[in-house]
Amino acid sequence: MEKMSSEDGDRYHHRHHYSDTDVLGSEKVPHSGPLSGPLNKKVAAGKKTAHFNIPDSSSSKDDRYVEITLDVTADSVAVQSVKAANGGDLQEDPELSLLAKGLEKKSNVVRNASAKIRQVGHELKRLTSFSKKPARFDRTKSAAAHALMGLKFISKNECGHGWEAVEKRFDDITASNNGVLPRSRFGECIGMESKEFALQLFDALARKRKIHGDSIDKAHLKEFWDQISNQSFDARLQTFFDMVDKDADGRITEQEVKEIISLSASANRLSNIQKQAEEYAALIMEELDPDRLGYIMINNLEMLLLQAPNQSVRGESRKLSQMLSQKLKPTYDGNPVRRFCRNTKYFLQDNWQRAWVMVLWIAVMCALFAYKYIEYQRREDVFKVLGNCVCFAKGAAETIKLNMALILLPVCRNTLTWLRNKTKLGVVVPFDDNLNFHKVIAVGVAFGVAIHGIAHIACDFPRLLHATPDEYVPMEQYFGEQAKSYWHFVEHVEGITGVLMVILMAIAFTLAAPCFRRGRINLPKHLKKLSGFNAFWYSHHLFVIVYTLLIVHGIKLFLTKKWYKKTTWMYLAVPIILYSCERLTRLLRSSIKAVTIQKVAVYPGNVLALQMSRPHGFRYKSGQYMFVNCAAVSPFEWHPFSITSAPGDDYLSVHIRTLGDWTRQLRTVFSEVCQQPTNGKSGLLRADSVHGTNIPDFPRVLIDGPYGAPAQDYKKYEVVLLVGLGIGATPMISIVKDIVNNIRAMEEEEEEEKSSGIEKGNGVNKTNSTSPSSKRKENFKTRRAYFYWVTREQGSFDWFKGIMNEVAEMDRNHVIELHNYCTSVYEEGDARSALITMLQSLNHAKNGVDIVSGTRVKSHFAKPNWRSVYKHIAVNHNNSRVGVFYCGAPALTKDLRQLASDFSHKTSTKFDFHKENF
């Protein structure tokens, strides 16, 4: 037994001291694999004991030493014990356990045991120095902690209430099977969604216990569940190893690796990885079996899993992150008045633009209603017979006139685009909410029609029918002879136009409802055409007839005979003329701006990509959209799509998802002229009229636009957060390309200015306010962008693969942070995605390509934690205003908007939320 002297210990401590900062900032990844080093001297086998000084000023003298006993043999080093020098036991630490396990692994050649002990001591001292409080090592950043989070066989959503829930499902399933659970229903019983993975897990657990047959009882199920839910990393690692090691020989061959890759890919719906399982199996064997033994052991698999995360929040950022977490904790104010005032203040801060527009609109309607109500209240001849009923009817009619005029303005897209681009009205007018305001006005019209119609039918007409002859005398000049039935009022022009308008409005309103417009309602087969976008589009054009009837109805009034008091046409004249000019402009512009289809691609996920020539003078901004028409599908229908090309490109491109009748027919029309891709190009089908030898005969396409959209305003923010769900990434892709193009152009302009001597001034560089770079900086403020693309299918990444690679290559200054999320893959840490995570890390490190997206951008699994996303931006951009732009399913809108509001109110970073509305 040999002991190191205190002087030796002090020298060792001096040479190998690590501070907290050193450990946290280290780029090295600790692991529990065998330690290696230059060993050049044989030593006799025996036990070696050494003291190591632990740098902890709070500890006593004896507590500052750790006694480590090693068993050194010719081909191995084993840790016998680790204890304090005073004889006390150290608190058990998973870090030490993992390291001790690694030290017991066999090494090939042992030539210098003292060097091995020194290296072991160095690692143990570094780890144990943080195992004593208060200098505790931050395990959240360690490899062990990362590993312990992994290899979960049951997710939180699947585990339910633990064994109690599993036992209940077992009893329900086996009620008719004499208490025996068949293998085929094992996944259902434990709550695992992926059936194939559950079957392989069953086989591994049964094989370990030498259970033969395809069924188990409750006792065996309890054993299985205990092992599956075991929180020990070693237990989970062994279970995973057993799943791969199908012949139970303790070794994993390349064929077994290939099979588990196929199984994991199938469980996560990653068809491309499943096709390349053999290639990826060879990659894993190359990494873990460098000696080409033909197999790998459990320790090799463990080394691959123990990869520490390389992103951490340090220093001031960590402190700020903790402060934000405290600020963002929900607080409850017991005072209802104070709580109401605070919520009202927050609401007005977030919605003041919408608020003043709505208040003004409601105030004008109330004023018009009151004006007409009082006017008819003062008409004694009419009021005496009809009373307040006619006042309500005429007041509601006046609001209908106003709303029928206003409802056209939000859909005058050219006018709104001009106002957005050329004026400063966007500061006070919420142009982004034009379609929402259109819908709100429609609700106002519906209420006005209801009040007007009910007041006439349920009140005015019965009063006229039941009035005495003497009471009716003043009414003869308006209605003629006293009516005997309701038909008398309906058969006149006023009645016919009124009834027809109500019927047509009811049809248009019903088919415009989301359930009909998006085809979500289940109708009988012969009524299917009443749902979908086509029904919505055609029914909305019934308003041409409605406006004609409204003008006639307003001229042929029962109670108004003087022309200047028939004001309906006065309300409608300007909006109708403006809207007519809009439609005429659209018609002329689309026919003049002919486009030539250059490339077509059909991608997985029913997405059609069209690349077309850019008409002369067609200027647009990233985030804007245009209308597309294809006469081969329908000569009358125009549909809006975001422009995915950047303003600097010499072509236009759109990506169209097949969601309805029109898009389905468009995809069919273009698929007929496409062929299988060659030369490794992406897509299921492709056609190219630029580089192709056989020029295809593409259908004729017309475009109309561009039109303004919320995302086009991204340039006024220094920091932007771009979020796209599925095909909702289309406007964001254009923005991402435009940001890179603008930043690169600014750098080139600055270089040219420096070289040409534009910036001069007594030896100090000064920026000329009229230089091109300074002008661009004034118009383009964005300096940092975060792009999050969330999609369900792996094939979706093919849509913008080329663009993503191009951006990753062009963005040399890392201005844009790209994040791809594939929600079909189980969250990181789940055993079903563990192998995918390993493959992803290996392939990205070796080839620079992500195996899920096929791009240079590394993909994440499951859904993003949006709260963490906002927090990350708030930590990195204090006192900044961040533009949040979202395009996708409405379900996420509420969460993103609420988070933007919370962080804006409780942190120094302000988030402005914008959503695409079409």
Side-chain angles (χ1 to χ4, degrees), residues 282-327:
L283 177 65
I284 288 181
M285 296 301 292
E286 179 184 347
E287 177 70 18
L288 300 184
D289 182 27
D291 298 329
R292 300 185 182 277
L293 300 175
Y295 60 85
I296 57 177
M297 306 292 287
I298 191 171
N299 62 296
N300 303 122
L301 191 62
E302 178 186 7
M303 288 174 60
L304 190 61
L305 285 170
L306 291 178
Q307 298 289 331
N310 55 15
Q311 293 181 352
S312 60
V313 181
R314 300 180 184 141
E316 294 300 322
S317 294
R318 178 182 297 170
K319 293 178 182 177
L320 181 59
S321 176
Q322 292 172 351
M323 290 172 60
L324 287 181
S325 297
Q326 290 296 326
K327 284 185 177 181

Side-chain angles (χ1 to χ4, degrees), residues 250-349:
R251 301 174 178 181
I252 302 176
T253 64
E254 185 170 341
Q255 180 61 29
E256 289 173 328
V257 173
K258 176 185 173 183
E259 291 176 6
I260 198 65
I261 289 175
S262 296
L263 178 64
S264 297
S266 175
N268 292 282
R269 297 189 288 277
L270 299 174
S271 56
N272 292 347
I273 294 179
Q274 200 168 0
K275 294 174 184 175
Q276 297 175 275
E278 186 172 349
E279 175 187 339
Y280 290 134
L283 177 65
I284 288 181
M285 296 301 292
E286 179 184 347
E287 177 70 18
L288 300 184
D289 182 27
D291 298 329
R292 300 185 182 277
L293 300 175
Y295 60 85
I296 57 177
M297 306 292 287
I298 191 171
N299 62 296
N300 303 122
L301 191 62
E302 178 186 7
M303 288 174 60
L304 190 61
L305 285 170
L306 291 178
Q307 298 289 331
N310 55 15
Q311 293 181 352
S312 60
V313 181
R314 300 180 184 141
E316 294 300 322
S317 294
R318 178 182 297 170
K319 293 178 182 177
L320 181 59
S321 176
Q322 292 172 351
M323 290 172 60
L324 287 181
S325 297
Q326 290 296 326
K327 284 185 177 181
L328 292 167
K329 283 184 178 178
T331 56
Y332 180 78
D333 194 336
N335 189 322
V337 176
R338 192 162 52 239
R339 188 168 64 247
F340 173 79
C341 292
R342 185 183 64 248
N343 292 338
T344 303
K345 183 184 74 171
Y346 287 163
F347 176 80
L348 292 177
Q349 286 177 353

Side-chain angles (χ1 to χ4, degrees), residues 9 78 147 295 436 463 496:
Y295 60 85
N436 291 331
R463 279 174 172 264
I496 295 173

Side-chain angles (χ1 to χ4, degrees), residues 773-815:
S773 63
S774 61
K775 288 182 179 179
R776 189 183 291 271
K777 285 180 180 179
E778 290 178 6
N779 298 325
F780 183 81
K781 297 181 179 179
T782 307
R783 296 294 177 269
R784 189 78 167 119
Y786 299 86
F787 175 43
Y788 285 80
W789 182 20
V790 185
T791 182
R792 287 195 304 265
E793 303 166 349
Q794 182 188 15
S796 303
F797 293 114
D798 284 348
W799 304 345
F800 307 115
K801 181 187 290 185
I803 297 174
M804 298 291 275
N805 285 330
E806 182 183 353
V807 170
E809 183 178 354
M810 291 168 57
D811 186 22
R812 295 186 296 272
N813 296 328
H814 307 290
V815 174

Side-chain angles (χ1 to χ4, degrees), residues 140-159:
T140 60
K141 299 290 179 269
S142 69
H146 181 61
L148 289 170
M149 291 169 57
L151 288 179
K152 297 175 184 175
F153 289 92
I154 300 293
S155 66
K156 291 181 181 178
N157 296 332
E158 292 174 328
C159 66

